[in-house]
PDB file of all heavy atoms in Angstrom:
ATOM      1  N   ARG A 325      -2.819   2.538  21.394  1.00  0.00           N
ATOM      2  CA  ARG A 325      -4.186   3.064  21.417  1.00  0.00           C
ATOM      3  C   ARG A 325      -4.365   3.953  20.197  1.00  0.00           C
ATOM      4  O   ARG A 325      -3.539   4.839  19.942  1.00  0.00           O
ATOM      5  CB  ARG A 325      -4.461   3.867  22.695  1.00  0.00           C
ATOM      6  CG  ARG A 325      -5.871   4.485  22.755  1.00  0.00           C
ATOM      7  CD  ARG A 325      -6.056   5.309  24.024  1.00  0.00           C
ATOM      8  NE  ARG A 325      -7.339   6.011  24.047  1.00  0.00           N
ATOM      9  CZ  ARG A 325      -8.458   5.531  24.564  1.00  0.00           C
ATOM     10  NH1 ARG A 325      -8.466   4.322  25.094  1.00  0.00           N
ATOM     11  NH2 ARG A 325      -9.576   6.254  24.561  1.00  0.00           N
ATOM     12  N   THR A 326      -5.428   3.717  19.448  1.00  0.00           N
ATOM     13  CA  THR A 326      -5.750   4.531  18.273  1.00  0.00           C
ATOM     14  C   THR A 326      -7.175   5.044  18.401  1.00  0.00           C
ATOM     15  O   THR A 326      -8.096   4.261  18.647  1.00  0.00           O
ATOM     16  CB  THR A 326      -5.599   3.724  16.972  1.00  0.00           C
ATOM     17  OG1 THR A 326      -4.247   3.291  16.828  1.00  0.00           O
ATOM     18  CG2 THR A 326      -5.981   4.565  15.764  1.00  0.00           C
ATOM     19  N   GLU A 327      -7.339   6.345  18.247  1.00  0.00           N
ATOM     20  CA  GLU A 327      -8.658   6.978  18.315  1.00  0.00           C
ATOM     21  C   GLU A 327      -8.995   7.536  16.932  1.00  0.00           C
ATOM     22  O   GLU A 327      -8.196   8.274  16.349  1.00  0.00           O
ATOM     23  CB  GLU A 327      -8.654   8.100  19.346  1.00  0.00           C
ATOM     24  CG  GLU A 327      -8.252   7.654  20.745  1.00  0.00           C
ATOM     25  CD  GLU A 327      -8.046   8.815  21.697  1.00  0.00           C
ATOM     26  OE1 GLU A 327      -8.144   9.978  21.225  1.00  0.00           O
ATOM     27  OE2 GLU A 327      -7.776   8.574  22.887  1.00  0.00           O
ATOM     28  N   VAL A 328     -10.155   7.171  16.400  1.00  0.00           N
ATOM     29  CA  VAL A 328     -10.582   7.617  15.074  1.00  0.00           C
ATOM     30  C   VAL A 328     -11.879   8.398  15.198  1.00  0.00           C
ATOM     31  O   VAL A 328     -12.865   7.905  15.760  1.00  0.00           O
ATOM     32  CB  VAL A 328     -10.780   6.429  14.110  1.00  0.00           C
ATOM     33  CG1 VAL A 328     -11.198   6.928  12.727  1.00  0.00           C
ATOM     34  CG2 VAL A 328      -9.506   5.602  14.006  1.00  0.00           C
ATOM     35  N   GLU A 329     -11.876   9.607  14.685  1.00  0.00           N
ATOM     36  CA  GLU A 329     -13.076  10.431  14.636  1.00  0.00           C
ATOM     37  C   GLU A 329     -13.731  10.273  13.259  1.00  0.00           C
ATOM     38  O   GLU A 329     -13.062  10.244  12.233  1.00  0.00           O
ATOM     39  CB  GLU A 329     -12.731  11.910  14.874  1.00  0.00           C
ATOM     40  CG  GLU A 329     -12.065  12.208  16.210  1.00  0.00           C
ATOM     41  CD  GLU A 329     -13.029  12.104  17.374  1.00  0.00           C
ATOM     42  OE1 GLU A 329     -14.261  12.152  17.139  1.00  0.00           O
ATOM     43  OE2 GLU A 329     -12.557  11.966  18.515  1.00  0.00           O
ATOM     44  N   ASP A 330     -15.064  10.160  13.266  1.00  0.00           N
ATOM     45  CA  ASP A 330     -15.845  10.075  12.016  1.00  0.00           C
ATOM     46  C   ASP A 330     -15.445   8.870  11.177  1.00  0.00           C
ATOM     47  O   ASP A 330     -15.314   8.962   9.951  1.00  0.00           O
ATOM     48  CB  ASP A 330     -15.699  11.359  11.193  1.00  0.00           C
ATOM     49  CG  ASP A 330     -16.247  12.572  11.917  1.00  0.00           C
ATOM     50  OD1 ASP A 330     -17.271  12.430  12.603  1.00  0.00           O
ATOM     51  OD2 ASP A 330     -15.641  13.656  11.803  1.00  0.00           O
ATOM     52  N   LEU A 331     -15.261   7.714  11.828  1.00  0.00           N
ATOM     53  CA  LEU A 331     -14.950   6.481  11.108  1.00  0.00           C
ATOM     54  C   LEU A 331     -15.999   6.212  10.032  1.00  0.00           C
ATOM     55  O   LEU A 331     -17.199   6.390  10.257  1.00  0.00           O
ATOM     56  CB  LEU A 331     -14.912   5.314  12.093  1.00  0.00           C
ATOM     57  CG  LEU A 331     -14.608   3.944  11.501  1.00  0.00           C
ATOM     58  CD1 LEU A 331     -13.142   3.850  11.115  1.00  0.00           C
ATOM     59  CD2 LEU A 331     -14.992   2.842  12.482  1.00  0.00           C
ATOM     60  N   ILE A 332     -15.543   5.788   8.865  1.00  0.00           N
ATOM     61  CA  ILE A 332     -16.450   5.460   7.765  1.00  0.00           C
ATOM     62  C   ILE A 332     -16.712   3.960   7.773  1.00  0.00           C
ATOM     63  O   ILE A 332     -15.780   3.152   7.757  1.00  0.00           O
ATOM     64  CB  ILE A 332     -15.850   5.892   6.415  1.00  0.00           C
ATOM     65  CG1 ILE A 332     -15.651   7.409   6.391  1.00  0.00           C
ATOM     66  CG2 ILE A 332     -16.749   5.459   5.266  1.00  0.00           C
ATOM     67  CD1 ILE A 332     -14.890   7.909   5.180  1.00  0.00           C
ATOM     68  N   ASP A 333     -17.999   3.586   7.804  1.00  0.00           N
ATOM     69  CA  ASP A 333     -18.384   2.185   7.810  1.00  0.00           C
ATOM     70  C   ASP A 333     -19.698   2.052   7.047  1.00  0.00           C
ATOM     71  O   ASP A 333     -20.383   3.040   6.790  1.00  0.00           O
ATOM     72  CB  ASP A 333     -18.547   1.694   9.248  1.00  0.00           C
ATOM     73  CG  ASP A 333     -18.460   0.174   9.352  1.00  0.00           C
ATOM     74  OD1 ASP A 333     -18.311  -0.482   8.298  1.00  0.00           O
ATOM     75  OD2 ASP A 333     -18.540  -0.349  10.482  1.00  0.00           O
ATOM     76  N   PHE A 334     -20.054   0.799   6.690  1.00  0.00           N
ATOM     77  CA  PHE A 334     -21.327   0.597   5.990  1.00  0.00           C
ATOM     78  C   PHE A 334     -22.451   0.569   7.008  1.00  0.00           C
ATOM     79  O   PHE A 334     -22.395  -0.147   8.009  1.00  0.00           O
ATOM     80  CB  PHE A 334     -21.302  -0.699   5.185  1.00  0.00           C
ATOM     81  CG  PHE A 334     -22.397  -0.764   4.158  1.00  0.00           C
ATOM     82  CD1 PHE A 334     -22.207  -0.237   2.899  1.00  0.00           C
ATOM     83  CD2 PHE A 334     -23.627  -1.330   4.477  1.00  0.00           C
ATOM     84  CE1 PHE A 334     -23.224  -0.277   1.956  1.00  0.00           C
ATOM     85  CE2 PHE A 334     -24.652  -1.365   3.538  1.00  0.00           C
ATOM     86  CZ  PHE A 334     -24.449  -0.841   2.274  1.00  0.00           C
ATOM     87  N   ASP A 335     -23.482   1.345   6.742  1.00  0.00           N
ATOM     88  CA  ASP A 335     -24.619   1.491   7.646  1.00  0.00           C
ATOM     89  C   ASP A 335     -25.867   0.984   6.924  1.00  0.00           C
ATOM     90  O   ASP A 335     -26.384   1.643   6.023  1.00  0.00           O
ATOM     91  CB  ASP A 335     -24.772   2.961   8.040  1.00  0.00           C
ATOM     92  CG  ASP A 335     -25.888   3.190   9.053  1.00  0.00           C
ATOM     93  OD1 ASP A 335     -26.596   2.217   9.380  1.00  0.00           O
ATOM     94  OD2 ASP A 335     -26.041   4.339   9.504  1.00  0.00           O
ATOM     95  N   PHE A 336     -26.357  -0.205   7.325  1.00  0.00           N
ATOM     96  CA  PHE A 336     -27.508  -0.802   6.645  1.00  0.00           C
ATOM     97  C   PHE A 336     -28.795  -0.007   6.887  1.00  0.00           C
ATOM     98  O   PHE A 336     -29.754  -0.142   6.132  1.00  0.00           O
ATOM     99  CB  PHE A 336     -27.702  -2.249   7.100  1.00  0.00           C
ATOM    100  CG  PHE A 336     -26.671  -3.190   6.559  1.00  0.00           C
ATOM    101  CD1 PHE A 336     -25.545  -3.502   7.299  1.00  0.00           C
ATOM    102  CD2 PHE A 336     -26.812  -3.744   5.299  1.00  0.00           C
ATOM    103  CE1 PHE A 336     -24.580  -4.370   6.799  1.00  0.00           C
ATOM    104  CE2 PHE A 336     -25.857  -4.612   4.784  1.00  0.00           C
ATOM    105  CZ  PHE A 336     -24.736  -4.924   5.538  1.00  0.00           C
ATOM    106  N   ALA A 337     -28.812   0.821   7.931  1.00  0.00           N
ATOM    107  CA  ALA A 337     -30.014   1.601   8.238  1.00  0.00           C
ATOM    108  C   ALA A 337     -29.996   2.984   7.606  1.00  0.00           C
ATOM    109  O   ALA A 337     -30.996   3.698   7.657  1.00  0.00           O
ATOM    110  CB  ALA A 337     -30.172   1.729   9.757  1.00  0.00           C
ATOM    111  N   ALA A 338     -28.877   3.374   7.009  1.00  0.00           N
ATOM    112  CA  ALA A 338     -28.770   4.721   6.453  1.00  0.00           C
ATOM    113  C   ALA A 338     -29.651   4.866   5.216  1.00  0.00           C
ATOM    114  O   ALA A 338     -29.772   3.949   4.398  1.00  0.00           O
ATOM    115  CB  ALA A 338     -27.323   5.028   6.100  1.00  0.00           C
ATOM    116  N   THR A 339     -30.248   6.034   5.070  1.00  0.00           N
ATOM    117  CA  THR A 339     -31.112   6.314   3.924  1.00  0.00           C
ATOM    118  C   THR A 339     -30.614   7.482   3.096  1.00  0.00           C
ATOM    119  O   THR A 339     -31.259   7.877   2.128  1.00  0.00           O
ATOM    120  CB  THR A 339     -32.544   6.619   4.407  1.00  0.00           C
ATOM    121  OG1 THR A 339     -32.501   7.752   5.289  1.00  0.00           O
ATOM    122  CG2 THR A 339     -33.138   5.423   5.141  1.00  0.00           C
ATOM    123  N   VAL A 340     -29.452   8.051   3.474  1.00  0.00           N
ATOM    124  CA  VAL A 340     -28.989   9.277   2.836  1.00  0.00           C
ATOM    125  C   VAL A 340     -28.715   9.084   1.347  1.00  0.00           C
ATOM    126  O   VAL A 340     -28.857  10.023   0.552  1.00  0.00           O
ATOM    127  CB  VAL A 340     -27.722   9.795   3.552  1.00  0.00           C
ATOM    128  CG1 VAL A 340     -26.570   8.812   3.422  1.00  0.00           C
ATOM    129  CG2 VAL A 340     -27.324  11.161   3.028  1.00  0.00           C
ATOM    130  N   CYS A 341     -28.321   7.864   0.913  1.00  0.00           N
ATOM    131  CA  CYS A 341     -28.027   7.674  -0.507  1.00  0.00           C
ATOM    132  C   CYS A 341     -29.239   7.194  -1.290  1.00  0.00           C
ATOM    133  O   CYS A 341     -29.182   7.108  -2.522  1.00  0.00           O
ATOM    134  CB  CYS A 341     -26.880   6.679  -0.687  1.00  0.00           C
ATOM    135  SG  CYS A 341     -27.240   5.047  -0.018  1.00  0.00           S
ATOM    136  N   GLY A 342     -30.330   6.838  -0.604  1.00  0.00           N
ATOM    137  CA  GLY A 342     -31.548   6.441  -1.283  1.00  0.00           C
ATOM    138  C   GLY A 342     -31.485   5.092  -1.960  1.00  0.00           C
ATOM    139  O   GLY A 342     -32.288   4.806  -2.853  1.00  0.00           O
ATOM    140  N   SER A 343     -30.550   4.226  -1.561  1.00  0.00           N
ATOM    141  CA  SER A 343     -30.405   2.928  -2.222  1.00  0.00           C
ATOM    142  C   SER A 343     -31.452   1.925  -1.770  1.00  0.00           C
ATOM    143  O   SER A 343     -31.753   0.976  -2.493  1.00  0.00           O
ATOM    144  CB  SER A 343     -29.015   2.358  -1.931  1.00  0.00           C
ATOM    145  OG  SER A 343     -28.861   2.065  -0.551  1.00  0.00           O
ATOM    146  N   GLY A 344     -31.978   2.093  -0.561  1.00  0.00           N
ATOM    147  CA  GLY A 344     -32.937   1.137  -0.035  1.00  0.00           C
ATOM    148  C   GLY A 344     -32.310  -0.003   0.727  1.00  0.00           C
ATOM    149  O   GLY A 344     -33.019  -0.805   1.352  1.00  0.00           O
ATOM    150  N   PHE A 345     -30.971  -0.116   0.689  1.00  0.00           N
ATOM    151  CA  PHE A 345     -30.302  -1.202   1.415  1.00  0.00           C
ATOM    152  C   PHE A 345     -29.142  -0.673   2.252  1.00  0.00           C
ATOM    153  O   PHE A 345     -28.252  -1.421   2.639  1.00  0.00           O
ATOM    154  CB  PHE A 345     -29.797  -2.279   0.445  1.00  0.00           C
ATOM    155  CG  PHE A 345     -29.090  -1.735  -0.765  1.00  0.00           C
ATOM    156  CD1 PHE A 345     -27.796  -1.242  -0.685  1.00  0.00           C
ATOM    157  CD2 PHE A 345     -29.736  -1.689  -1.987  1.00  0.00           C
ATOM    158  CE1 PHE A 345     -27.148  -0.734  -1.791  1.00  0.00           C
ATOM    159  CE2 PHE A 345     -29.087  -1.179  -3.109  1.00  0.00           C
ATOM    160  CZ  PHE A 345     -27.798  -0.706  -3.011  1.00  0.00           C
TER     161      PHE A 345
END
Side-chain angles (χ1 to χ4, degrees):
R325 178 182 175 91
T326 299
E327 303 171 356
V328 181
E329 300 288 341
D330 297 323
L331 180 73
I332 298 172
D333 200 358
F334 196 87
D335 183 355
F336 287 95
T339 59
V340 64
C341 61
S343 65
F345 46 76

